[in-house]
Each structure stands twice: as C-alpha cells, then as structure tokens.
Amino acid sequence: MPECLRLHSELEALRTAAQQSAGALRGPRVVVCGAMDTGKSTLCRMLLNWAVRGGHTGACAPRRPLFVDTDVG
C-alpha cells in the first residue's frame, strides 16, 4: 500500500474514533511541512479528495474536511 493511502487509512481511523468518543468534537489535525516542490500541496489535495469521495461532505454529514493552503514564501 502506498504511504499516502496508509496515511489516509490512519486518519480515517482517528476520525472514526473521535466521532465515537463522547467528549471529542474534533478529529485529527495535520500539518504538512517540507522543502519547496516536494509535493506537499499535492499530498494534501489527495487526502482531501479521498475524504470527499468517502461521502464526508454536505449539510448532514458528520464530518467536513477543510483544506487551508498557506504559502508564506
């Protein structure tokens, strides 16, 4: 399994655990850092796309993925 799919699976497991926990209102947060032109934004867009394709969007969805791309350069 490619590393990005493994990361997606682990994040999904954390989201599910947070949703099932009585006190947890939020799922995992991810910060991606690295050198220029290494695929950080591409990785984030892929993870977001998989979350969206998984049906985790919409007004009635329990989860709403959010992607914030900040380029301080």
Side-chain angles (χ1 to χ4, degrees), residues 2-72:
E3 292 299 317
C4 54
L5 283 175
R6 183 175 300 150
L7 175 61
H8 170 66
S9 297
E10 291 177 13
L11 288 171
E12 185 62 25
L14 289 171
R15 287 185 202 106
T16 302
Q19 186 178 15
Q20 293 173 351
S21 175
L25 298 176
R26 298 179 177 171
R29 302 291 191 262
V30 178
V31 176
V32 179
C33 302
M36 291 175 40
D37 296 326
T38 56
K40 298 177 300 292
S41 293
T42 301
L43 170 66
C44 291
R45 283 192 302 266
M46 288 172 58
L47 291 172
L48 178 67
N49 191 12
W50 287 328
V52 169
R53 286 183 182 198
H56 305 304
T57 60
C60 298
R63 305 178 198 161
R64 293 185 182 142
L66 174 68
F67 176 61
V68 178
D69 189 0
T70 57
D71 184 0
V72 297

